[in-house]
Amino acid sequence: MEFTDNENTAFADIMNMLQKYPDFRKYSLKDEVILSLPGLEIRPERRKIYSNSQEINLTTKEFDILCMLAVNKGRVVTYEQIYQNVWNSFPTGRENNIVGYHVRNLRKKLCIIPMLSLQCIREIGYCFSIVSENNGSI
């Protein structure tokens, strides 16, 4: 509910009335953390991502991988690091294929956002970057 400046008395009246009811609970919304990137909005608490106000549906693993890479933007994150953090397990030697499978699916879903890049660093891992208009990564 929103009140304009000239409705302050109405707001005060409502608050006074509510104070008469001690069982009435006041709820407040906590601030939501939003990771905003060019063309992409990540809402970790809701486990949702949006591009131009349109939701992009991701699996749980895809979402976790994207968040990890986005938070480490510009840094190489190894297959082992991704596997340990997303699967909460120690690497088994097959993590390159497992992580790679999910990143391929993630790339397909994010291809509508040309400024974002999930670069494969051969035999090491992935690096999330933002490609500027002059073809340079940020």
Side-chain angles (χ1 to χ4, degrees):
M1 185 181 284
E2 263 184 59
F3 292 96
T4 60
D5 290 337
N6 60 353
E7 296 173 321
N8 283 338
T9 55
F11 178 74
D13 290 343
I14 291 170
M15 292 307 291
N16 286 334
M17 185 181 73
L18 291 176
Q19 289 175 355
K20 295 177 185 176
Y21 300 94
D23 293 337
F24 181 81
R25 286 191 241 163
K26 183 170 114 180
Y27 291 100
S28 63
L29 300 175
K30 66 179 184 173
D31 293 333
E32 181 180 11
V33 175
I34 299 173
L35 180 56
S36 183
L37 301 163
L40 182 68
E41 193 175 89
I42 302 172
R43 296 177 176 245
E45 292 172 8
R46 295 183 189 187
R47 297 192 60 81
K48 295 191 181 286
I49 68 166
Y50 299 89
S51 176
N52 298 323
S53 300
Q54 296 285 48
E55 183 179 351
I56 299 173
N57 292 313
L58 299 180
T59 66
T60 301
K61 299 299 185 200
E62 291 166 353
F63 181 85
D64 291 343
I65 291 169
L66 176 63
C67 284
M68 184 175 186
L69 293 172
V71 166
N72 290 288
K73 181 181 72 152
R75 295 186 202 117
V76 176
V77 182
T78 67
Y79 292 107
E80 292 82 9
Q81 289 170 325
I82 295 169
Y83 189 84
Q84 284 179 335
N85 283 291
V86 173
W87 278 265
N88 294 319
S89 182
F90 290 102
T92 61
R94 297 180 53 228
E95 55 278 347
N96 294 26
N97 294 333
I98 296 169
V99 172
Y101 169 81
H102 291 282
V103 170
R104 271 189 300 280
N105 291 336
L106 191 52
R107 281 180 172 154
K108 288 177 189 175
K109 293 176 182 182
L110 296 179
C111 71
I112 60 172
I113 310 168
M115 288 97 48
L116 302 182
S117 172
L118 293 173
Q119 295 175 284
C120 176
I121 310 303
R122 191 176 181 103
E123 300 298 320
I124 298 174
Y126 291 95
C127 181
F128 181 89
S129 60
I130 299 170
V131 181
S132 67
E133 290 180 18
N134 57 6
N135 295 330
S137 293
I138 300 173

